[in-house]
Amino acid sequence: MRASQALTFEAAACWQRLQQSKEFFFEDLDAQMKEHHQKFLEELMLYERQCFINVHPYQRLAQRVDQANGFYQRRLTTRLGSMELKVPRTRSGHFHSQVLPRYQRREPAINEALKAVFLLGVSTRQTGRALATLVEDAVSASTVSAVAKALDVSVQAFHRRKLSDHYRYLLLDGVSVRIRLVGKVQRRMALCVYGITLCGQRELIDFQIVKAEAHDSWYDLLWNLWRRGLRGEFLELICTDGQLGLAKAIARLWPAAPHQRCWAHKLRNLENKLKASQRDCLEESKLIYQSAHRPEALERFRAWKKKWRREAPKAVQCLEEDLEEMLAFFSCPPAHWKRLRTTNVIERLFVEVRRRIRTMCAFTTRQSCERILFSVFDRMNTYWELRPL
């Protein structure tokens, strides 16, 4: 090569060589960053102690308020790995560093990472192991649980927040959870209220863990929402699974709001009242809610009733007694019918809840159950913000 020719490098080839020799570059770079980070923290704490003592080292002045008393070792887990820090102390023991607060063993970023991994559905035992490969320090399941307890404040704020009265539709349902109470695993119901605003924004408004799905428990939850601001001024429809206690609670608080019974639940009820050879009866009943308008739906119901009232009288009676509530969704815009005639929207939320709690046999406390439910609902609310109705 001539001396006058310019020396050229291929960026991709240089980067590839660096990756192949990472033990000589990246590991050394990480070690240097970790070393400088440790020195920075230690120097900062030394300066902090100097300001507390009020004199420079070896000065004998009247304004001195304490004596330096060496150091003690503190292990700290950071984004760069674990490090042993020399924490300065004083003879009186009154000096406490603000750079490294008492009892702190992890950077706040590590705690946030633990919380984020836990909320994504990883069990407490696996969360620590998942981050061990990054921070060089395994975290116990009890530590992950302690970090997750920081969510309790957010949970309480969620239950107590003021509500805007801008909901157009409400969907109500419950999901079963298992909680270990008084020495044994017991089933509890998590009652959930899902709302759609005037702008089409979907959100989980609130939830409550109760012993059973009854009138009193539903009324307590709905009355709490009413007290916090959900007066129902713009409510056009409330969809439920047909639970009688829930229907009574709705009638007490929002008597003018139309009540829609879930077609998915009703079809399951019809199936239980039919023989295996009467599958056509069930399929033909689906044509009722697929009608173009309410009069056509009524006409199809009459034809269906006329055909099956002798062969399947119980199924016909089951649908006829709730027909008014089954067809309430026709009063809403046609574009919304598919989402409002069932509670499938909130059932999708319950699928996510079941997926999250599948990794555990049962919740140890009611608070731990609320933390998990809140994390799932909060993540789904964020997801729904990007996908309005």
Side-chain angles (χ1 to χ4, degrees), residues 83-95:
M83 56 182 66
E84 293 289 340
L85 294 176
K86 294 170 58 178
V87 183
R89 58 188 178 188
T90 60
R91 186 168 296 177
S92 66
H94 294 158
F95 168 71

Side-chain angles (χ1 to χ4, degrees), residues 79-295:
R79 285 165 287 186
L80 300 174
S82 297
M83 56 182 66
E84 293 289 340
L85 294 176
K86 294 170 58 178
V87 183
R89 58 188 178 188
T90 60
R91 186 168 296 177
S92 66
H94 294 158
F95 168 71
H96 301 295
S97 174
Q98 300 301 312
V99 176
L100 188 64
R102 302 176 72 183
Y103 312 113
Q104 180 178 339
R105 295 295 184 269
R106 295 170 302 279
E107 282 187 338
I110 301 299
N111 286 338
E112 291 300 320
L114 288 171
K115 193 188 305 181
V117 173
F118 173 70
L119 295 182
L120 286 175
V122 183
S123 65
T124 54
R125 295 181 184 276
Q126 298 298 330
T127 297
R129 298 175 187 174
L131 290 181
T133 57
L134 299 177
V135 299
E136 303 174 356
D137 191 12
V139 180
S140 64
S142 59
T143 300
V144 176
S145 298
V147 172
K149 287 182 180 179
L151 287 170
D152 289 345
V153 177
S154 300
V155 173
Q156 293 303 319
F158 177 77
H159 287 317
R160 297 172 181 173
R161 75 191 191 284
K162 292 292 183 180
L163 298 176
S164 299
D165 193 17
H166 61 169
Y167 295 101
R168 186 177 185 180
Y169 307 121
L170 294 181
L171 292 90
L172 294 79
D173 206 348
V175 60
S176 176
V177 295
R178 298 186 302 272
I179 307 177
R180 189 175 299 279
L181 301 170
V182 294
K184 63 179 181 179
V185 176
Q186 301 183 26
R187 286 196 173 273
R188 291 292 184 266
M189 291 298 298
L191 308 182
C192 302
V193 180
Y194 173 100
I196 302 175
T197 67
L198 295 170
C199 300
Q201 183 63 52
R202 299 176 288 170
E203 64 174 289
L204 194 287
I205 303 174
D206 206 352
F207 66 95
Q208 181 175 313
I209 300 175
V210 298
K211 190 172 183 179
E213 195 174 3
H215 168 263
D216 292 340
S217 54
W218 270 115
Y219 181 76
D220 290 343
L221 174 59
L222 298 181
W223 162 251
N224 185 34
L225 300 182
W226 192 92
R227 180 181 56 82
R228 287 157 52 192
L230 206 168
R231 302 302 174 89
E233 182 178 354
F234 302 103
L235 275 180
E236 296 182 20
L237 192 73
I238 302 177
C239 184
T240 73
D241 60 355
Q243 211 271 341
L244 296 179
L246 173 56
K248 293 180 180 179
I250 293 173
R252 291 179 63 183
L253 290 172
W254 302 297
H259 179 202
Q260 170 66 38
R261 293 281 297 269
C262 174
W263 269 96
H265 287 81
K266 178 58 73 173
L267 290 176
R268 286 197 285 268
N269 294 339
L270 293 181
E271 188 175 13
N272 294 332
K273 299 180 183 300
L274 295 172
K275 300 177 182 178
S277 59
Q278 296 174 327
R279 184 73 186 179
D280 292 342
C281 177
L282 184 66
E283 295 300 323
E284 291 177 14
S285 67
K286 297 178 182 179
L287 298 176
I288 300 173
Y289 65 76
Q290 295 174 1
S291 302
H293 44 75
R294 184 185 178 91

